[in-house]
Amino acid sequence: MADMTKIENFSEDAARCEDIPEEAEQLPEEAETEITDEEGEEAADAEQNYEEIARRDVSELREIFPELFMLTSITQLENPMRYAALRDLGLSPKEAYLATTTRPAIRYDGKSHMRGSVPIGAFGQSASMSAGELAGARELFGDLSDSEIQKLYKRVIK
């Protein structure tokens, strides 16, 4: 019995659709979404072209920034969508990378392991001369004042 009701409802819907004029059923010519073989090939070429550009970008970025040696795809960047948008606007791979990353580019060289963990400015003032050293310096440089002797001492120590 429930099946009969469904069939009757379907018949009523079909009858209403038959009342639609033929002009309304046809789509305008601009709305046709048929893709010709030539357009399909162009789309495939464009996709292929973007893949090639991405490969070249990865290679160039790895060359410029050694810290990106593990980079295998543009999608691994910090903000790949922004990077792609900037590249589409005409920026070079280096410019687009620097504009999208928040990490500073760290350059590694052969002596990077020799840098101290304490900043140079943290050492403060160098030690001044002791009273005995100042007395001995006065004997050597009798014509210089104490402040000039201190300046000379600091220049020699550095």
Side-chain angles (χ1 to χ4, degrees), residues 51-148:
E51 289 174 7
E52 180 61 31
I53 291 171
R55 271 193 294 266
R56 279 188 269 138
D57 283 5
V58 167
S59 174
E60 187 173 334
L61 288 173
R62 288 173 62 182
E63 192 174 301
I64 296 170
F65 302 104
E67 65 271 14
L68 298 177
F69 70 96
M70 296 287 291
L71 185 70
T72 58
S73 171
I74 294 300
T75 59
Q76 294 172 330
L77 291 175
E78 191 173 327
N79 193 348
M81 295 305 290
R82 178 73 177 143
Y83 175 86
L86 291 173
R87 285 290 286 137
D88 285 342
L89 290 174
L91 269 66
S92 71
K94 178 181 178 180
E95 294 167 334
Y97 173 72
L98 290 174
T100 57
T101 189
T102 58
R103 289 176 254 149
I106 301 169
R107 288 286 193 176
Y108 295 102
D109 57 8
K111 296 181 182 180
S112 63
H113 66 282
M114 299 171 82
R115 295 197 178 110
S117 60
V118 178
I120 293 172
F123 289 108
Q125 298 291 332
S126 62
S128 59
M129 297 174 73
S130 67
E133 290 173 330
L134 185 58
R138 276 190 208 123
E139 290 177 17
L140 290 172
F141 306 103
D143 56 336
L144 297 177
S145 69
D146 286 352
S147 63
E148 290 174 329

Side-chain angles (χ1 to χ4, degrees), residues 33-46:
T33 57
E34 238 179 80
I35 298 177
T36 64
D37 289 338
E38 188 176 303
E39 289 172 344
E41 289 174 12
E42 288 176 10
D45 288 344

